[in-house]
Amino acid sequence: MLPDKASVLDAADRIAPYIHRTPVLTCSTINRMFGGEIFFKCENFQKAGAFKSRGATNAVFLLGTDETRNGVATHSSGNHAGALALAASRRGITANIVMPENSSRIKIKAVESYGGLITLCKPTLDAREETLKEVISKTGAVEIHPYNDFRIIAGQATAAKELIEEVNDLRQIMAPVGGGGLLSGTALSARYFGNHIRVIAAEPAGADDAFRSFTSGTFIPSVDPRTIADGLRTSLGSLTFPIIMENVDDIVTVSEEGIIEAMRLIWERMKIIVEPSSAVPLAAIIENKLNISGKRTGIILSGGNVDLANLPFNTTV
């Protein structure tokens, strides 16, 4: 059932002992550059380094004792994998993780450090899903989908809920979109806890299935996505797509150059580490895809799991 306001409030209480209430930061230099007030919800400081800990923790701790007997399983390019492995370890159960073979090295290491059992597969959605079926058949584990799960969406919604509680008079909230779990949760929280807050998603132009689905009103799957934002290479789900269609105001796309410029700006001016997916909303502002002049705008920085040995910009002086 679609998460209602009570479900999001329950999720917030359920996960509170296990996650961070992440800070909201501002940057006067960035505000001056774009003529508005931007409030960054820093999920890069979250447990396991990304907002995914919210949904994974909510889903794992909603499971009954009988359901946890054989552990949990999922497919993920990285952040949900790490989050689920950590949540499972907190519950004392096994996490079986299917990861594409081209997943970030740092994200694979994180899953291993949390005790997740990794099975690598080819970097396609079909391969991920087929490999997961095989793993579940062998283990009997319960699937926790990265985003197409109402328990996950309710957990992700708590990030925007906290942002709205902390920042008065927000006019719009931006989030990146891949599978749509964060965006769906953000849109629901804006509806439940906000006051006429617009919700805008940003997506890489090289992985623009959500943009095309939104503008056409028809689900279009992701095929051969090409973007540095590895967390946004997935398709929308059967649960997230209708939530987005009903509750999101707009989806815009950005270039790879814009993502890198935004990522570098956050690193240099805010002195915090974010991964490419996190930088996509700010890239939309840099590329004039969204007017923030005179508006109080929230941006959810989705995560900070980046391979420091493989940065997309030259950090030498």
Side-chain angles (χ1 to χ4, degrees):
M1 186 171 67
L2 178 73
D4 57 12
K5 185 175 182 178
S7 298
V8 178
L9 292 170
D10 287 345
D13 289 341
R14 185 174 297 109
I15 69 178
Y18 307 104
I19 67 152
H20 294 311
R21 185 181 177 102
T22 53
V24 177
L25 300 183
T26 60
C27 177
S28 58
T29 298
I30 293 177
N31 285 346
R32 285 195 301 271
M33 289 175 67
F34 303 108
E37 293 181 275
I38 304 176
F39 299 87
F40 295 91
K41 177 63 170 169
C42 295
E43 289 297 288
N44 52 317
F45 296 149
Q46 189 52 264
K47 296 285 188 180
F51 76 93
K52 294 283 191 176
S53 280
R54 295 175 180 271
T57 301
N58 189 51
V60 166
F61 280 86
L62 270 170
L63 294 174
T65 302
D66 289 345
E67 294 176 287
T68 63
R69 184 175 294 110
N70 297 315
V72 292
T74 196
H75 66 78
S76 168
S77 63
N79 284 341
H80 176 67
L84 188 64
L86 178 58
S89 70
R90 293 270 176 78
R91 189 82 193 264
I93 61 178
T94 302
N96 301 277
I97 313 293
V98 173
M99 300 186 73
E101 59 192 14
N102 64 345
S103 297
S104 164
R105 179 184 60 85
I106 196 70
K107 293 179 180 180
I108 290 175
K109 289 179 66 176
V111 173
E112 292 173 339
S113 73
Y114 298 135
L117 304 178
I118 297 174
T119 301
L120 296 176
C121 69
K122 295 294 183 182
T124 67
L125 182 59
D126 285 345
R128 286 162 62 143
E129 292 177 343
E130 286 303 314
T131 305
L132 179 60
K133 287 179 183 177
E134 294 172 6
V135 169
I136 290 174
S137 177
K138 291 177 183 177
T139 64
V142 173
E143 179 180 1
I144 305 293
H145 195 277
Y147 49 86
N148 208 42
D149 184 315
F150 285 142
R151 299 167 298 184
I152 293 289
I153 293 169
Q156 317 307 26
T158 62
K161 171 184 174 292
E162 292 175 6
L163 175 62
I164 292 165
E165 290 171 346
E166 187 157 340
V167 181
N168 294 327
D169 299 322
L170 274 177
R171 302 311 335 135
Q172 50 198 9
I173 299 178
M174 298 189 70
V177 58
L182 176 63
L183 179 58
S184 295
T186 298
L188 291 176
S189 278
R191 188 172 96 189
Y192 298 150
F193 307 107
N195 181 22
H196 301 294
I197 298 174
R198 295 184 74 239
V199 176
I200 301 96
E203 183 177 44
D208 66 345
D209 57 290
F211 168 78
R212 289 183 290 122
S213 297
F214 183 79
T215 55
S216 69
T218 303
F219 172 71
I220 299 172
S222 177
V223 178
D224 192 26
R226 295 173 183 257
T227 177
I228 191 175
D230 60 298
L232 307 182
R233 294 173 185 159
T234 51
S235 296
L236 297 178
S238 60
L239 303 183
T240 59
F241 177 53
I243 295 174
I244 289 167
M245 288 302 301
E246 184 173 347
N247 297 282
V248 171
D249 293 283
D250 200 8
I251 298 179
V252 299
T253 61
V254 300
S255 69
E256 294 298 288
E257 294 77 14
I259 296 170
I260 294 169
E261 182 181 351
M263 185 177 172
R264 182 168 187 158
L265 183 61
I266 293 169
W267 281 53
E268 289 184 343
R269 296 298 183 175
M270 299 183 69
K271 315 303 181 188
I272 60 175
I273 293 174
V274 296
E275 60 188 88
S277 298
S278 290
V280 171
L282 183 60
I285 295 173
I286 290 173
E287 296 186 342
N288 295 313
K289 300 296 179 68
L290 178 70
N291 177 20
I292 69 162
S293 179
K295 297 182 176 71
R296 291 163 75 84
T297 301
I299 287 180
I300 299 181
L301 295 177
S302 53
N305 293 319
V306 62
D307 186 351
L308 297 178
N310 189 29
L311 296 176
F313 42 76
N314 181 5
T315 56
T316 60
V317 178

